[in-house]
Amino acid sequence: MNDEFFDDEQELMEAQVAAASEDTVIVEDAAAPADAEAPEREPSARRDAPPFWMVLAIAAISLVLGVVIGYLVGTTATISKLESESAQMSQAQVGAGDASSATLPDGHPELAINEDGSASLADDASSES
C-alpha cells in the first residue's frame, strides 16, 4: 500500500507543531528576563488555590447566613406554634367561661361578657327575666 498521503499529513502536523513551539519560545524569550525562575505552565495546568483570607471570608459569610436563616425559620415555627396554642386556649376559655358562670359560688355577682371580651356586672332585671 501507498502511505504517502499519511506521510505528508504527518509531516504537515510536525511542521505545525514546530512552528507553534517556535512562536511560544519567542514569546517566552520576551518574558524570560522578567521572571526567569518561573516554571513553564501548560495550558491544561491546574489553577492556583484562592488566597487564605478569601476562604475565611466565604466561611464566615456562610456561617452568618446559616445562623440568620436558622433563627428566622425557628422564629416562624415558634410563632405559628404559639398562635395555634393561643387559639386553642381562647376557645377553651370561652367554653370554660360559659360553664364556670353557671357554677359560681353563692354570693358571687353575675357577670355579663361583652362581645369585645370585657366583663361587666349583669343587670338584676336581665338576670330575673
Side-chain angles (χ1 to χ4, degrees), residues 29-128:
D29 287 342
D35 47 349
E37 297 178 12
E40 292 183 23
R41 290 190 178 183
E42 296 179 12
S44 63
R46 274 187 353 164
R47 292 178 46 179
D48 292 336
F52 186 68
W53 65 267
M54 190 177 296
V55 173
L56 285 178
I58 291 171
I61 290 170
S62 300
L63 182 65
V64 168
L65 284 175
V67 168
V68 168
I69 291 171
Y71 175 76
L72 292 176
V73 168
T75 302
T76 56
T78 304
I79 288 174
S80 65
K81 184 177 179 182
L82 288 175
E83 287 176 349
S84 66
E85 287 178 1
S86 173
Q88 290 174 355
M89 290 296 288
S90 65
Q91 289 175 355
Q93 286 176 351
V94 168
D98 294 341
S100 66
S101 65
T103 60
L104 289 175
D106 292 333
H108 194 281
E110 291 293 322
L111 298 175
I113 309 265
N114 301 327
E115 289 180 7
D116 63 352
S118 63
S120 60
L121 289 174
D123 293 336
D124 290 331
S126 63
S127 62
E128 292 175 3

Side-chain angles (χ1 to χ4, degrees), residues 8-49:
D8 292 341
E9 289 295 316
Q10 185 70 24
E11 288 174 9
L12 285 173
M13 287 175 41
E14 288 174 359
Q16 289 175 351
V17 169
S21 65
E22 287 176 6
D23 290 342
T24 57
V25 169
I26 292 170
V27 172
E28 289 176 1
D29 287 342
D35 47 349
E37 297 178 12
E40 292 183 23
R41 290 190 178 183
E42 296 179 12
S44 63
R46 274 187 353 164
R47 292 178 46 179
D48 292 336

